[in-house]
Amino acid sequence: MQRYNPKDIEPKWQAAWAASGIYKAEDFSSKPKYVMLTEFPYPSGDGLHMGHTREYTYGDILARYKRMHGYNVLFPMGYDAFGLPTENYAIKQHITPQAATDANVANFQKQLESFGLSIDWSRSFRTTDPEYYKWTQWLFLQFFKHGLAYQKESAISWCPFCKTGLSNEEVVNGRHERCDTLVEKKVLPQWMLRITDYADRLIDGLKDLDFPSRIADQQINWIGRSEGAEVKFYDVDDDDETNPITVYTTRADTIYGATFLVLAPEHPLVEQLTRSDHAGAVATYVKAAAAKSDIERQDTDREKTGVFTGAYATNPLTAEYMPVWVADYVLAGYGTGAIMAVPAHDERDWAFAKKYDLKITRVIDSDTPEDSVSTGPGKLINSGNFDGMPNVEAKTAIINFLAEDGLATLKTQYRLRDWIFSRQRYWGEPIPIIHCPEHGAVAVPEDQLPVVLPAVDNYEPSDDAKSPLSRVPEWVNTTCPTCGKPAQRETDTMPNWAGSSWYYLRYFDAHNDTVFADRKKLDYWGEVDLYMGGMEHTTLHLLYSRFWHEFFYDQGLVPTPEPYKARRGQGIILAADGTKMSKSKGNVVNPSEIIDSGYGADAMRLSIAFLAPYDQTTPWNPEGVAGTHRFLQRLWQLVQGFIEANEKREGEPLDDSIVQADILRTTHHAIKRVTTDLDTLGFNTAISAQMEALNQLYKLRDQDEFLSVNAWQAGLEAMVQLVAPFAPHFAEELWQQLGHEVSVHTSAWPQYDEANVATDEVTLAVQINGKLRSEITVAAEADEATTVAAAQADIKIAPLLEGKTIRKTIYVAGKIVNFVVG
């Protein structure tokens, strides 16, 4: 019997697929189209990791599944090669970023091809290709032309290690999300994109998209839209009321309890409001605050500090005097840079008031008994004319009341800030702007694009906050396109997010040098049908690319208002001990080493898909690949046994009736389950269904020794088709051995007959830490692995397990599954 050897089979079919072009998508095909997109990788020096492998395995399974359902599938791949990862790697290796990119892309390409992915490589590109970034620059100029790209001096987050400015989205807990360095504040001239102009669209557009709530909610919360009012407070000495202290609040109903105002140290009115006898203390405090990061200033555990300006403002409802303070927990970049403090209703304000012995006023209505209000310093006041109103009505009434005197204006506020687009690094797209002393910032003419990144001898960043390009005078010095006089090129480069903000569109027309993509091709391919990627990019790339696309739609450049019809985020694969994989810990799993060990790519793909529900973070199972390899060996041996039995019985009469019904029932039940599971991204339970069916087929083989030839032929063909999206090389080889000349991956997905899938089922309770959380129904013959996988994938259980570590699984056949989590 021929043995299953992936080292022979996998290279054979990879070469055959490449030669035939089987996975090339066809523009304008009569078939229904399906765009399966996964995030293209940064070609780092470490090669592909298990996170990449999990994402691309899922994407490939779905691409193959849709192809077998008759779709014209586009499953593309390119390389997001500009940016810090490549440049920092090049610095460490003492080579140029160009050389690093070439070497890393070659390594990534070799790895990706070894995974057996059904990628249309004819559409591949790098964001570092001048033919590509010509259009990134052209698209930037569309923003510039319409006033959505602008340059201004701004206080930004600065990474002292990478020596570059960062966008707000790249700072996580006060640290650069790439290198984990604590960021600093720096004031620099920066190019910005007006993403805030699209804040409402970015929220409202989510209603029509198939985004899970954990993804949509992240974007909504990051944009941070709130409805409120701007309220004016005046300095008691400002008789002409010319310089109001404007405060934004969502709780106008608490103005009665506002007892003091707090300004950010950077607020433009600080100097004007500060009385002379307080000027020295205020100046000292403001200087100290400037040295602190925003994250440090907003740390909820840090003791609040502040300084009194000596000024007082008038509460517009109570007419009481309110001292005006400066405190660094208020940020100039959020709201108006000034807040009204309501210490009786806010813990932060309470702590500040207690520390500095400031007044605390509690707001009650006439129906609230005084003895039901907690005691404390200050007085109780009644909300007067607004007594008894629900909060929403009270807010509206108070705002309308103040508006009559010009003291309040309805206002919608956003947490989102304009996108800081400049980077003071070498390895990025040059910003296509020329600075002229007479005409200011001037766009590079379109016929001069691309502005090619010049080769330089020294590309390392410096501490002077200037791009290395500023040290290349022969490139910097040019002439103004408007007047022809001497001018200088912009030396900052674009962030690595620029090229990835529109890359999916280039896949539709990857080699067009006339336009960024042909409109007819854009119309044909339309939206990306499913986009799979990491949750860490939800408020970075995913938000940025939606912003770009919505702008393109407004300019008539694309046919759809949104780029992605559906988005899914896969979970992280941890080390076997449940910790994060890290080179320093020595626990990184290299996918290429698994393939080279003899198990092959197909067993690795199956093990990844079988680990856990796709969206759950899960530890790597070192034994998993051996288990899925055994599954493939058993299916291989069953098919080989059938083929050999047929050859030996050639010419003999066949009993074609012994177990036909059981074979049909087993395979049709598997077809239904795998189809249903893949339609809902239940990769792990789809594999469980195949394993269960294989066990049953072995029992049936023992009963008739392959005498029911027609039923066995159909059943084994179906089993090979079911495993094809998961183990493509393996399935292709067996499909050929079963007598087919055309690829299994272009065969029609097997169909099931409901009459053949009836089976006994049992219902089990699913518990977490002993508490009933759900129930599941499985086939009566389902084994423990199948049942546990179904429980993990249950719609109620999966969210409860997300982010948790399963310490123990208790299984009682036919009764319960209990997950003990920590």
Side-chain angles (χ1 to χ4, degrees), residues 166 270 641:
L166 306 172
V270 168

Side-chain angles (χ1 to χ4, degrees), residues 226-246:
S226 62
E227 307 292 337
E230 286 189 347
V231 180
K232 295 178 181 179
F233 296 79
Y234 285 97
D235 184 342
V236 295
D237 293 334
D238 184 5
D239 296 332
D240 297 329
E241 295 189 344
T242 54
N243 292 301
I245 303 169
T246 303

Side-chain angles (χ1 to χ4, degrees), residues 27 73 81 123 137 213 268 278 303 387 421 754 778:
D27 295 324
V73 174
R123 298 171 186 256
Q137 293 174 338
S213 59
H278 293 267
E303 184 179 6
D387 174 30
F421 202 70
E754 284 288 357
V778 297

Side-chain angles (χ1 to χ4, degrees), residues 299-310:
D299 184 353
T300 56
D301 296 329
R302 186 176 68 91
E303 184 179 6
K304 302 299 179 285
T305 64
V307 62
F308 180 41
T309 64

Side-chain angles (χ1 to χ4, degrees), residues 554-566:
D554 289 347
Q555 307 314 314
L557 299 174
V558 294
T560 63
E562 289 281 350
Y564 319 118
K565 186 179 296 183

